[in-house]
Amino acid sequence: MQGRKAPGHWIQSGGASVFAAEEIAQGRYGQSSQDTYGDEKDNEKIREIIRSNPMRVVENHLISQPAHVRTALLVIPLIYGRGRGLFNQRSIQAPEIARCTIQLGHGFRLEDGENAWSNIHIHDLSDQIVSLTEAAVKQKTGLWNDDGLYCLENGKMTFGDLCSLIAVEAHLQGLIDHPQIQEKINAEKANSMSAHAAVLWGTNAVTSSSRSQANLGWNPKGPNSFGCLDSAIKMVKRKQMANASAEAVPVPPLQQPSKIPNALRFPILVITSMALSSALYTGASQLGTGDLATVMKRRDQWWEILGLLGWKAVELGIGWWGEYDGWDIACLTLLSHMPYLYLLTTFYAVRPTTMWLGIGIDVLSTYFPFQLLRDSSPIHQSEVSKDEVANRSILNDFQIKLYTSILAAAVYGLVVFASFRGWLPEYLVVHFEGLKDLSGAHEAALPFLTLGFTVSGYAAQSFLFVPALGAKPDVHDMQMAEFNPETATLAETVWYNVWGYSKRSRTLIKRTATLAFASAMQTGLRTYITVEGVEFAGAAGWAAMWASAALLVGGVLWWVGDVDGVSN
């Protein structure tokens, strides 16, 4: 280069792990750090860090070059996205976490996972290299040597969050059973899973980029890191399928996969549930449930039978594809089936024991098949740590369970009480032929109604409040946190305003809507098809009251959970 008339240019990339030398020396992994290195404000400090590390041979050689060799050093953080080359198209850190997550069969993190790295999309990195190359060809100055240190980044993320998001995405793709972190590993185990993993997953390297923006007009344009996890995991999965023997993590999965093919699990669930329900109702008929026969109408139309069976399958499908466990579906069944039997007990002189026997059969015939075919959710396991479930201490608190159950029961009681005192008695007389007794509406008292709905209140807080409060942030939360109204498109702005809620709120909204829908459909269909003398409008009105109660309960429980001190 000394014999050239024009100066030579040397563009070199170096890893941001250069900032982690002290952590590596001390064996300190997974801990947070407040250090941020800016390429302009900390220019000399960064160079001194490089000089003090003899292991950085290439970087030290570059920054010691004479002025006639124009150099640029790019300090590279975590890279994400798919490369455009012909061969290796993936980086190391996030894809290796994805690979090990899939291989282990569950999500994990290194120690506390509070350490963070800046990150950059591979296309933004290549754009910077292209810009520097073009500047070199045009012999631009002011970009090299002392002015040639570039810390590239487009945000940062802790590795605990990264591991959690990878677990969520792997679960969504059906590659692991649970979306939550299941294991905390140490540095030794990390290194046994992937080369240099303790350094790459457990240290801090947060940088701040300003020189490229000011001098080269560079601005990152690639999608954010969590938006690329889907393709990253799919890429890892394809590589594992193509060369499974090349991938090996010496840790077996925690659970053996089910031997029942996925395609058969739901049909087995439906058949088992219907068979169990039929058997239990046949047995119950021997115990004295004959009072039901006095209000039942003869079902001799094929559409009536198919309607009830079809709704039963839909109801089970809601729970199955909604990823409910046995306890979830038991609570949903109790809440959606209770209004029909409450109608018979209150206005048709059916005995309360018959009502509770019917509810028990409906609940058991859904609970047991789900429990056999699906693991319990960590939300409903009191011994599961806060790493897997948010607000665990609140969820385990007996007084909170008691108060929220009573509150939900009071809301149900209030809706029924207001209806009894208002529109409902006349509505029943007009649309329900054959009513035996209306005294239940005229004599109802709010305290006794609330007491009578305590079981429903407990089921409501279990189905609505507990899963919402225990929900941990997911990919959607990260995306919404990055929303910038100044740069967002119209579609992104509309989506943010319509569905930009936290995972907790979204969980409660979806479950409340599910409960209202199931209550309306189950109550309306069963009342209209099976009870003698009920008009369609009558069944619809009775069902609408309970759907409204479900919506109000969900709103009240959302208000209770939306307080300071409760994590989103």
Side-chain angles (χ1 to χ4, degrees):
M1 286 190 178
Q2 292 180 353
R4 296 169 57 97
K5 292 183 180 180
H9 295 79
W10 180 2
I11 301 172
Q12 176 68 43
S13 64
S17 60
V18 66
F19 301 126
E22 183 177 343
E23 291 176 283
I24 297 169
Q26 296 175 358
R28 179 162 43 90
Y29 301 108
Q31 300 180 22
S32 63
S33 171
Q34 301 301 315
D35 294 334
T36 299
Y37 300 92
D39 52 12
E40 287 191 303
K41 69 181 182 67
D42 296 313
N43 181 49
E44 189 52 41
K45 181 180 180 180
I46 296 172
R47 292 175 183 275
E48 187 55 38
I49 290 174
I50 294 172
R51 294 188 188 100
S52 65
N53 190 342
M55 300 294 291
R56 296 284 174 166
V57 176
V58 175
E59 290 96 325
N60 273 298
H61 186 55
L62 179 136
I63 63 176
S64 64
Q65 290 298 306
H68 65 269
V69 179
R70 294 179 177 175
T71 62
L73 176 60
L74 282 61
V75 182
I76 309 300
L78 181 150
I79 301 173
Y80 62 90
R82 184 171 184 173
R84 292 176 283 206
L86 295 177
F87 300 103
N88 182 35
Q89 295 180 332
R90 51 162 271 190
S91 57
I92 297 175
Q93 287 157 293
E96 278 297 282
I97 293 174
R99 179 184 69 80
C100 293
T101 296
I102 297 170
Q103 189 71 38
L104 286 171
H106 60 268
F108 71 92
R109 72 164 190 266
L110 175 56
E111 298 295 354
D112 293 333
E114 295 177 351
N115 58 297
W117 274 48
S118 296
N119 49 65
I120 188 173
H121 193 278
I122 182 62
H123 294 176
D124 290 327
L125 173 58
S126 63
D127 288 345
Q128 168 74 351
I129 295 174
V130 169
S131 296
L132 283 170
T133 302
E134 291 175 344
V137 171
K138 297 176 181 178
Q139 296 296 321
K140 290 185 176 181
T141 59
L143 304 172
W144 317 99
N145 302 97
D146 289 343
D147 298 318
L149 178 66
Y150 300 91
C151 293
L152 305 180
E153 52 85 19
N154 185 24
K156 67 177 182 178
M157 182 182 293
T158 68
F159 275 79
D161 287 342
L162 178 60
C163 291
S164 294
L165 292 173
I166 288 175
V168 168
E169 187 60 43
H171 173 70
L172 291 175
Q173 294 186 29
L175 302 174
I176 61 175
D177 290 337
H178 299 289
Q180 295 87 8
I181 296 295
Q182 301 285 308
E183 182 182 6
K184 180 169 76 172
I185 65 173
N186 57 25
E188 181 180 359
K189 184 169 183 177
N191 288 332
S192 72
M193 294 161 62
S194 180
H196 313 295
V199 173
L200 297 176
W201 301 345
T203 58
N204 290 277
V206 178
T207 59
S208 175
S209 174
S210 59
R211 177 171 280 134
S212 296
Q213 289 89 329
N215 298 341
L216 287 166
W218 174 86
N219 280 296
K221 301 174 183 177
N224 51 41
S225 55
F226 41 77
C228 295
L229 292 178
D230 173 72
S231 58
I233 292 173
K234 288 179 179 177
M235 191 187 305
V236 170
K237 182 182 177 182
R238 285 196 297 270
K239 183 173 181 180
Q240 287 187 328
M241 293 174 64
N243 190 12
S245 61
E247 307 288 351
V249 175
V251 181
L254 290 179
Q255 298 178 335
Q256 295 295 325
S258 172
K259 295 181 180 180
I260 302 175
N262 288 333
L264 296 179
R265 293 167 73 84
F266 180 67
I268 291 173
L269 173 75
V270 173
I271 293 171
T272 304
S273 178
M274 289 185 176
L276 182 59
S277 176
S278 177
L280 290 174
Y281 269 110
T282 300
S285 66
Q286 307 302 317
L287 300 177
T289 57
D291 47 350
L292 282 176
T294 63
V295 298
M296 296 294 100
K297 67 180 179 181
R298 183 181 181 86
R299 294 193 297 271
D300 51 10
Q301 299 292 324
W302 64 268
W303 67 266
E304 295 176 326
I305 299 174
L306 289 181
L308 291 175
L309 292 177
W311 168 247
K312 177 70 172 179
V314 169
E315 191 175 30
L316 293 170
I318 289 172
W320 185 256
W321 280 290
E323 299 189 347
Y324 297 168
D325 64 4
W327 186 250
D328 284 326
I329 197 66
C331 292
L332 177 61
T333 300
L334 186 149
L335 292 167
S336 60
H337 289 223
M338 179 271 296
Y340 165 78
L341 293 166
Y342 182 77
L343 171 74
L344 301 184
T345 300
T346 307
F347 301 114
Y348 286 90
V350 173
R351 291 171 297 175
T353 53
T354 301
M355 179 190 78
W356 286 112
L357 185 60
I359 289 177
I361 291 173
D362 292 345
V363 168
L364 292 176
S365 63
T366 54
Y367 173 78
F368 282 115
F370 268 81
Q371 198 69 6
L372 290 172
L373 292 168
R374 172 168 288 165
D375 294 332
S376 295
S377 167
I379 294 286
H380 297 132
Q381 300 175 28
S382 59
E383 69 278 5
V384 172
S385 71
K386 64 180 181 180
D387 296 330
E388 299 178 46
V389 177
N391 304 302
R392 172 51 73 191
S393 61
I394 299 177
L395 296 178
N396 288 346
D397 188 277
F398 173 76
Q399 288 186 326
I400 292 177
K401 289 182 181 179
L402 177 63
Y403 295 153
T404 51
S405 297
I406 293 174
L407 179 61
V411 173
Y412 271 112
L414 181 62
V415 171
V416 173
F417 179 76
S419 300
F420 282 176
R421 285 290 182 268
W423 63 277
L424 189 59
E426 181 180 348
Y427 193 86
L428 290 173
V429 171
V430 173
H431 298 289
F432 285 71
E433 182 181 342
L435 288 175
K436 296 183 177 181
D437 187 5
L438 277 175
S439 62
H442 297 302
E443 299 173 1
L446 181 57
F448 292 107
L449 285 173
T450 300
L451 183 62
F453 288 124
T454 50
V455 175
S456 298
Y458 179 70
Q461 77 90 29
S462 295
F463 181 73
L464 300 174
F465 187 72
V466 171
L469 206 65
K472 292 182 73 68
D474 60 3
V475 174
H476 180 90
D477 288 311
M478 298 295 179
Q479 291 174 333
M480 293 301 101
E482 293 288 325
F483 176 78
N484 184 347
E486 296 181 355
T487 59
T489 64
L490 176 60
E492 291 171 339
T493 302
V494 171
W495 180 245
Y496 177 82
N497 285 282
V498 171
W499 198 235
Y501 302 104
S502 67
K503 178 64 180 297
R504 183 179 74 211
S505 295
R506 284 182 284 117
T507 299
L508 187 55
I509 290 170
K510 288 189 288 187
R511 283 184 172 244
T512 300
T514 299
L515 175 57
F517 174 73
S519 298
M521 292 297 295
Q522 169 69 22
T523 304
L525 281 174
R526 201 170 177 186
T527 301
Y528 179 63
I529 292 176
T530 66
V531 181
E532 186 69 42
V534 177
E535 298 177 4
F536 179 80
W542 180 252
M545 181 185 75
W546 294 98
S548 301
L551 293 173
L552 187 57
V553 169
V556 170
L557 291 178
W558 175 85
W559 172 74
V560 170
D562 190 33
V563 296
D564 293 337
V566 177
S567 61
N568 285 312

